[in-house]
Amino acid sequence: MGFYDDSGFSPDCSIGYLVRRTHQLGSAQLESIFANEGLTAMQWQALAAIWYGRGNTAAELARDLGHDKGAMTRLVDAMELQGWITRERTAGDRRCVNLALTSTGEAVALRCKQEVLARWNDWLADWDPPEVATMIGLLQKLRDTLAKKAA
């Protein structure tokens, strides 16, 4: 028998609801950090994904961030206009365009990262480090389970 049943289910025990609501609340409170740098939350996510090697093409970023490919291309256009990233066609396949952070993009990403870490540390100040580590581990496990089921 599964974990959930009709008698014990409510939003307050729904993993989907709790993850979504946590994301909404956190994103709203992080928005001012990005606005101070002239970015949107999605631009920050794309800069961070490039920085951490999670994607170096618009298609890879779209997959990693769960964003529409056309919208991602427009986002990349805007980030290039800001001078945060560069585009370079690959030698082997001229259709493939690699993205890289510029020094300006790296500086913006670093400033945002420092502010985001400070905000998360403030939110988690009352948590014990093992609780945080457990939460991260469980979310990684859930992510991996969902990714396997999607494949």
Side-chain angles (χ1 to χ4, degrees):
M1 175 140 176
F3 177 80
Y4 287 115
D5 64 33
D6 287 340
S7 66
F9 185 80
S10 72
D12 281 341
C13 69
S14 167
I15 293 170
Y17 170 79
L18 292 169
V19 168
R20 181 177 52 82
R21 189 66 181 132
T22 301
H23 175 73
Q24 289 171 334
L25 291 166
S27 294
Q29 294 178 54
L30 292 173
E31 197 65 46
S32 64
I33 293 170
F34 309 132
N36 288 340
E37 291 288 345
L39 324 155
T40 65
M42 185 54 70
Q43 287 172 328
W44 153 248
Q45 292 173 33
L47 287 177
I50 294 167
W51 194 13
Y52 284 101
R54 300 192 59 85
N56 71 339
T57 68
E60 289 172 349
L61 291 178
R63 275 190 297 278
D64 187 61
L65 300 175
H67 206 54
D68 175 79
K69 287 181 187 178
M72 184 57 68
T73 298
R74 290 186 295 279
L75 188 85
V76 166
D77 290 343
M79 292 191 310
E80 184 180 34
L81 282 173
Q82 290 292 330
W84 299 327
I85 64 167
T86 60
R87 287 176 160 139
E88 186 176 321
R89 295 200 179 275
T90 60
D93 184 352
R94 302 279 302 149
R95 296 171 297 172
C96 186
V97 178
N98 288 318
L99 307 174
L101 296 181
T102 63
S103 58
T104 302
E106 286 179 12
V108 167
L110 179 60
R111 286 192 302 270
C112 285
K113 177 186 171 186
Q114 291 167 340
E115 292 290 327
V116 167
L117 292 177
R119 188 73 50 95
W120 272 104
N121 284 331
D122 180 52
W123 293 334
L124 296 172
D126 294 336
W127 291 49
D128 292 328
E131 289 178 311
V132 177
T134 297
M135 173 68 76
I136 291 169
L138 291 172
L139 288 170
Q140 289 169 335
K141 182 177 181 178
L142 179 60
R143 177 206 56 207
D144 295 345
T145 298
L146 293 173
K148 286 178 191 170
K149 296 289 183 177

